Amino acid sequence: MSASNPASGAGGPLVDGPHDPEHDPRASYVLEPAYVASLTSRIVATTGRTVPLSSPLDGAPLAQVPQSGPADVEEAFRRARAAQASWARTPLAERSAAMLRFHDLVLDRLPEILDLIGLESGKARKHAYDEAAHTALTARYYARTAHRHLDTERRPGVLPVLTRIDVNRVPKGVVGIISPWNYPFTMAISDGLPALMAGNAVVAKPDAQTVLTALLGVQLLEEAGFPRDLWQVLAGPGRELGTPMIERSDYVCFTGSTATGRIIARQCAERLIGCSLELGGKNPLLVLRDADVEKAAEGAVRASFSNAGQLCVSTERLFVADQVYDRFVERFVARTQAMTLGATLDWENDMGPLISADQLETVRAHVDDAVAKGARVLAGGQARPDLAPYFHEPTILEGVTPDMTCFGDETFGPVVSLYRFHDESDAIERANDGDYGLNAAIYSRDGARARAIARRIRCGTVNINEGFGATFGSVDAPMGGMRESGAGRRQGSEGIHRYTETQAVGTQRVLRIAPNLGMKAETHARLMTAGLRVLNKLGRA
């Protein structure tokens, strides 16, 4: 594995990078105080407290982030509700126009967005681009399909012609969004775009480690023409702000751990409000006997090590058919060892550092435990403090057994385990083992056979000849988890309908649905029964 040269600048307008490459192997990036102040001014925070924010690229400080308290939660929801009342009356065409302006702003401001994502999360620039592109795709999709999802829909009435049914999509009100650090731009913003399109307001709490990136997204929404009070931002620990947010939300969208998701689900159930939860995963990738080995090896590298494995849909278990196992392993290991590692904002890096000391400790603990119990390291296996404080090499393990922590527990880091299989039914059973069911991938030259196998895998998304991008990037397709990987779906019609209440409006014409003109109830029943038989013969639903 090779390390990239440190950048001499950020490639965008935000930062300056004074450093001495001869004495410091890492770049040092500094955000302008005025820029930080313009972003953090959008946080509803009156506690007077701040917390420091530093970059995983080099550990250097980025900002002091104002902290919100319980009174700020109440104020944020007050502002949001006031803004939502008028926003819900805004014509759909105006909402769509603002969303398309936001789409263009994301593309126009790419260098700025990618710089900030890299500074806060440490991820490679190519993976930061995935976030910006996904956010733009989501904005354009809901702007262009708003009428399809939200217009009043006519349905058949109980009495043809005499009964008219209209189904409306009514906004829920104020949506609470609690977003993670691993994809700080798209996870903080994209889930809220359909909420806005449906006529809701948003109160969001982005993760403390990546709050600036989320604030930049909110700034771009305002520049696109969305009312400022429509999207409120809180900053602070989830244990302090989470419950007050849920107590005031009309719907909650959460992306994070399964343990926290269970708590949120219980709290939402107590209030009889809905929630969508994208939670943990231990995602499998199957390489079938007829797979293109080179394509599978390339795809497995991206599936396992994009964003240093800190991706909910990242592959952590690789099941490879006997017939291609040795060839696949040789190519997979070679491609992994050829990756360019670096803690800079350069495009050339294939992988950046982990986001925190906690994530690094989890990765090291999983690898050390596996090796101590007999697993073999085929690539990587070591922390790389020479590159960044929280850097760990992309690691491939073989011989992982059920008594090892990484066998069933989510690592959420650049570690993948290899397993050989002979029988495809056995591989499917092993892929379904455990409690998670978020994402899976299948590599095969026979697309029809792979799609048939996909139906047998208990995951919310399955990708054929791709690790995760085919489903994640196709925003008309629903995305979410089965079993302990979550509930509800983002993207597609499900992704916007979750933020609406379905309202049926029935209009009765001429005759009432009851005996008419002095008719006896028994006679009315006989006529209705005859009518039902006729409708059935006519093939009516």
Side-chain angles (χ1 to χ4, degrees):
M1 303 175 193
S2 60
S4 69
N5 293 324
S8 59
L14 297 186
V15 298
D16 185 25
H19 69 286
D20 182 354
E22 294 184 2
H23 298 97
D24 185 355
R26 299 187 295 270
S28 177
Y29 302 103
V30 179
L31 285 174
E32 295 181 2
Y35 181 81
V36 172
S38 72
L39 294 178
T40 57
S41 67
R42 288 169 171 77
I43 300 172
V44 184
T46 59
T47 64
R49 293 184 287 113
T50 64
V51 297
L53 178 66
S54 60
S55 175
L57 293 179
D58 56 5
L62 291 175
Q64 289 286 334
V65 179
Q67 297 296 283
S68 308
D72 298 311
V73 177
E74 185 172 350
E75 174 62 14
F77 275 88
R78 186 196 65 77
R79 295 180 190 175
R81 289 202 184 281
Q84 191 271 332
S86 59
W87 179 249
R89 297 190 296 270
T90 301
L92 209 53
E94 291 184 27
R95 298 183 213 166
S96 296
M99 196 68 74
L100 290 175
R101 289 193 295 270
F102 174 74
H103 168 278
D104 291 345
L105 279 171
V106 169
L107 301 182
D108 292 343
R109 302 273 281 276
L110 268 177
E112 179 183 354
I113 294 168
L114 301 189
D115 282 352
L116 201 51
I117 292 173
L119 287 170
E120 282 201 301
S121 72
K123 68 174 61 180
R125 198 170 186 83
K126 63 178 67 175
H127 303 146
Y129 177 79
D130 294 344
E131 290 203 57
H134 181 259
T135 304
L137 282 169
T138 302
R140 190 180 74 227
Y141 170 77
Y142 284 114
R144 298 295 189 193
T145 62
H147 286 287
R148 185 213 306 176
H149 299 310
L150 298 173
D151 280 355
T152 296
E153 181 183 354
R154 288 285 298 274
R155 300 279 182 89
V158 60
L159 298 177
V161 181
L162 301 181
T163 309
R164 167 176 171 156
I165 294 295
D166 295 278
V167 178
N168 299 323
R169 293 285 178 177
V170 179
K172 285 186 177 288
V174 180
V175 174
I177 296 180
I178 303 173
S179 59
W181 48 260
N182 60 320
Y183 272 67
F185 192 71
T186 193
M187 291 294 98
I189 301 300
S190 292
D191 277 327
L193 298 181
L196 297 184
M197 184 59 66
N200 299 281
V202 169
V203 174
K205 194 199 82 63
D207 191 89
Q209 297 172 97
T210 52
V211 67
L212 299 182
T213 302
L215 289 167
L216 175 56
V218 176
Q219 182 186 75
L220 296 181
L221 287 169
E222 293 170 10
E223 292 179 20
F226 290 93
R228 175 159 184 161
D229 281 351
L230 197 64
W231 190 302
Q232 299 290 310
V233 180
L234 298 164
R239 63 183 178 275
E240 295 180 13
L241 304 181
T243 296
M245 285 183 65
I246 294 168
E247 289 173 346
R248 292 165 174 81
S249 295
D250 299 305
Y251 187 90
V252 175
C253 173
F254 171 75
T255 304
S257 72
T258 298
T260 303
R262 284 196 182 97
I263 295 171
I264 290 173
R266 286 195 295 269
Q267 292 177 325
C268 290
E270 284 291 326
R271 294 197 56 234
L272 298 179
I273 63 170
C275 63
S276 54
L277 311 167
E278 187 191 293
L279 309 177
K282 193 69 180 176
N283 306 304
L285 185 153
L286 281 64
V287 181
L288 306 187
R289 62 181 180 273
D290 64 344
D292 181 320
V293 169
E294 195 64 37
K295 180 183 289 186
E298 184 276 332
V301 169
R302 286 187 293 106
S304 304
F305 305 129
S306 289
N307 193 25
Q310 300 169 121
L311 175 58
C312 296
V313 292
S314 179
T315 294
E316 295 197 7
R317 299 181 294 154
L318 266 169
F319 299 94
V320 185
D322 276 334
Q323 294 89 338
V324 295
Y325 186 87
D326 292 337
R327 284 187 293 136
F328 172 83
V329 171
E330 186 274 326
R331 295 307 304 141
F332 183 45
V333 169
R335 282 184 169 274
T336 300
Q337 291 176 332
M339 291 174 66
T340 298
L341 311 180
T344 71
L345 299 181
D346 290 340
W347 282 99
E348 289 74 17
N349 295 329
D350 295 315
M351 197 184 90
L354 296 160
I355 195 167
S356 67
D358 286 345
Q359 289 302 118
L360 177 61
E361 179 56 33
T362 296
V363 171
R364 292 180 65 174
H366 280 207
V367 173
D368 290 348
D369 171 76
V371 171
K373 293 174 180 175
R376 296 174 295 282
V377 177
L378 303 186
Q382 300 296 320
R384 291 290 301 275
D386 57 309
L387 296 178
Y390 315 132
F391 214 111
H392 195 283
E393 294 175 327
T395 299
I396 303 170
L397 299 176
E398 189 180 53
V400 172
T401 56
D403 63 323
M404 300 174 188
T405 305
C406 68
F407 180 85
D409 290 2
E410 184 179 28
T411 303
F412 214 65
V415 180
V416 65
S417 302
L418 282 167
Y419 304 92
R420 183 191 295 261
F421 73 85
H422 177 72
D423 180 76
E424 284 181 357
S425 293
D426 174 62
I428 294 168
E429 184 177 343
R430 292 161 71 185
N432 288 334
D433 189 34
D435 298 320
Y436 292 120
L438 188 54
N439 180 65
I442 303 170
Y443 276 79
S444 169
R445 297 178 193 268
D446 187 339
R449 188 166 72 93
R451 287 188 290 273
I453 289 173
R455 293 181 63 89
R456 299 166 62 187
I457 294 179
R458 297 281 294 161
C459 288
T461 54
V462 182
N463 296 264
I464 310 299
N465 294 326
E466 167 58 33
F468 58 85
T471 52
F472 190 75
S474 301
V475 292
D476 194 40
M479 179 185 174
M482 297 182 183
R483 299 182 287 172
E484 292 192 8
S485 285
R489 296 291 184 269
R490 63 165 52 97
Q491 304 192 162
S493 59
E494 292 93 331
I496 192 168
H497 287 166
R498 60 180 165 165
Y499 298 130
T500 65
E501 298 284 5
T502 305
Q503 180 192 63
V505 178
T507 303
Q508 190 60 28
R509 303 184 178 105
V510 184
L511 298 177
R512 65 189 184 188
I513 305 178
N516 288 272
L517 303 174
M519 184 183 297
K520 292 182 178 180
E522 183 178 1
T523 304
H524 173 74
R526 284 201 301 269
L527 288 174
M528 287 294 294
T529 300
L532 293 173
R533 294 185 188 280
V534 170
L535 292 173
N536 188 43
K537 288 183 178 180
L538 293 175
R540 292 290 298 268

